[in-house]
Amino acid sequence: MTVDPSNPHDSLVKQLLAGPAQAAAVLQTLLPPEIARAVDWSSLRPATREMPAKGRASTHTDLVFRARLAGVAHAVEIFLYVLIEHQSTPDPTMPVRVLAGLAGLWRSWQRKPAGRPLPLVIPLVLAHTEQGWKAPRSMDELLAIPLMYAPTLARYLPRFDLMLIDLSETERDQLVEWARTVEAHGARAQAIMLRILVSVRDADALARTLREEAVALEALARDPGAQWSFELLVSYVLVAGRGMTPTQICDILNHVAPTAAAKMKTVQEMYLDKLRREEMPRLEARAMAKVRANLQAEERDRWREVLRKTLTNKFGPIEPEHEHRIETASLEELQGLFTRTATSDSLEAVFATRDE
């Protein structure tokens, strides 16, 4: 099992958090303690289908779980709505994305039998941008409310702060502690994932993480039930890791994780085979489409130049409205205009057919 080369971050996270137990291990570690204590984690289960695709804030990186509130006499459900921001720079409209996602969940719930209140939904943004989160963290920051009117308008506007965990700004010691806690909950691969997500963009940081996690990777590689997660992690490093070759990765693992190093070579071969069979035809098709588009653009440019010279020689300066039409014309339209130039006695006559 390997990550999708076209979207490795999403592929890794969604697959490693697909299991309720693994998702619970990560979420209860990362969420603020007061929120974590309010959830009955033994009841956690995926609920992505509860959310219509058109209401989702992101088609790839959102995860939705449902669980019961802890310590409540009667069953009360709570939804955990997780958005993972993988982009190198943060999304400045993230509060709006979160609001759209919340609205999508509640709209879906409203289709249920009438009379029930809307469920509690706790949104969490998990980010690992390259330079840290510098974008707005609340709706207030996006709304242009003059200070003098803020008290008057506030009650009529959506207002909330993002519950945002930026892994790229988290201190290394805190990341290590989170990883240990997640592993203590029985989610070793997910613990490694947290650290690799942060270090994958920097060769030195990635090398250090691989050295520190080599023993854990060796344990995954030796465990038949965990080899799928090992393959995901290794393929992610191979695809998304910056500045490190597979040979360098193997050299790091060979000292204390020989099984992991050997299996990594197998994963690399699987990935290359998948690339040859599935990705290369798509890449070649996209490249050919780009070449064709460039050739068509060049041909349009040549026809525009010929048409302008012909029109100027026969009728004099070209009016701005006619120039605009030349600039926006398709190749077929340019050829038609050139043909009409020979039989027309004015610029207006050349462009008359397009005006009708």
Side-chain angles (χ1 to χ4, degrees):
M1 182 178 293
T2 58
V3 298
D4 179 358
S6 65
N7 210 342
H9 307 297
D10 298 331
S11 180
L12 176 72
V13 174
K14 296 202 81 168
Q15 292 184 74
L16 285 183
L17 293 188
Q22 292 74 31
V26 173
L27 293 177
Q28 66 181 301
T29 299
L30 299 184
L31 285 169
E34 63 273 17
I35 301 295
R37 288 192 296 267
V39 179
D40 176 3
W41 294 104
S42 65
S43 67
L44 189 78
R45 60 191 186 280
T48 304
R49 291 182 181 178
E50 301 288 339
M51 193 173 186
K54 65 180 180 180
R56 296 188 187 182
S58 168
T59 56
H60 295 289
T61 58
D62 57 328
L63 296 168
V64 185
F65 303 92
R66 61 194 304 172
R68 291 190 298 271
L69 278 177
V72 179
H74 58 286
V76 176
E77 280 201 313
I78 181 172
F79 282 74
L80 298 174
Y81 175 37
V82 185
L83 290 93
I84 301 108
E85 180 74 342
H86 301 294
Q87 300 178 87
S88 58
T89 56
D91 184 351
T93 66
M94 182 58 76
V96 175
R97 285 177 57 190
V98 171
L99 187 61
L102 296 175
L105 265 173
W106 284 322
R107 281 198 304 270
S108 175
W109 191 263
Q110 285 179 326
R111 295 199 298 268
K112 307 284 184 178
R116 290 193 292 178
L118 293 176
L120 299 172
V121 183
I122 302 296
L124 168 66
V125 178
L126 181 62
H128 63 107
T129 54
E130 289 197 49
Q131 303 299 323
W133 193 272
K134 310 302 182 189
R137 293 173 179 248
S138 69
M139 282 297 298
D140 281 1
E141 292 180 71
L142 294 180
L143 296 172
I145 309 175
L147 187 61
M148 63 182 295
Y149 289 110
T152 304
L153 300 176
R155 62 180 296 189
Y156 304 108
L157 299 171
R159 306 185 71 191
F160 63 89
D161 296 330
L162 292 179
M163 187 189 301
L164 187 141
I165 297 173
D166 187 359
L167 296 176
S168 61
E169 290 186 336
T170 303
E171 294 293 334
R172 178 175 172 273
D173 290 346
Q174 177 64 77
L175 279 171
V176 172
E177 183 60 32
W178 280 346
R180 287 175 180 165
T181 303
V182 170
E183 185 173 0
H185 285 294
R188 178 183 286 128
Q190 288 70 22
I192 300 172
M193 176 191 74
L194 285 178
R195 299 200 60 200
I196 287 181
L197 281 172
V198 178
S199 59
V200 75
R201 294 189 176 107
D202 179 82
D204 292 336
L206 180 58
R208 181 173 63 185
T209 297
L210 290 174
R211 283 192 292 268
E212 294 173 348
E213 297 292 343
V215 173
L217 285 168
E218 179 74 358
L220 286 180
R222 290 175 177 270
D223 181 358
Q227 287 185 13
W228 68 273
S229 57
F230 172 81
E231 292 174 3
L232 277 173
L233 289 166
V234 170
S235 63
Y236 176 71
V237 170
L238 290 171
V239 174
R242 292 185 186 173
M244 290 192 70
T245 66
T247 301
Q248 290 173 318
I249 297 171
C250 280
D251 288 342
I252 291 173
L253 296 177
N254 263 325
H255 299 292
V256 294
T259 304
K263 288 186 178 296
M264 196 212 76
K265 294 179 182 178
T266 302
V267 173
Q268 181 188 6
E269 293 172 0
M270 291 168 52
Y271 166 67
L272 290 175
D273 183 61
K274 178 182 175 68
L275 188 65
R276 284 191 292 269
R277 288 185 292 104
E278 300 178 11
E279 294 302 316
M280 287 306 296
R282 278 186 272 178
L283 292 173
E284 290 171 359
R286 285 198 292 268
M288 289 303 299
K290 186 174 182 180
V291 169
R292 285 193 295 270
N294 289 339
L295 290 175
Q296 290 174 354
E298 291 176 3
E299 189 171 2
R300 283 196 300 271
D301 288 342
R302 287 195 294 270
W303 275 98
R304 288 190 187 102
E305 186 64 23
V306 170
L307 180 60
R308 288 188 182 105
K309 288 181 179 178
T310 303
L311 291 173
T312 302
N313 289 337
K314 186 170 184 179
F315 303 115
I318 301 173
E319 297 296 327
E321 63 268 23
H322 298 145
E323 173 60 35
H324 175 71
R325 295 202 174 186
I326 293 172
E327 190 62 32
T328 58
S330 67
L331 177 60
E332 293 75 12
E333 290 170 332
L334 290 169
Q335 292 169 338
L337 290 171
F338 179 79
T339 299
R340 287 195 294 276
T341 301
T343 57
S344 300
D345 56 4
S346 67
L347 280 173
E348 288 71 17
V350 173
F351 291 94
T353 302
R354 294 193 67 191
D355 289 335
E356 294 174 356

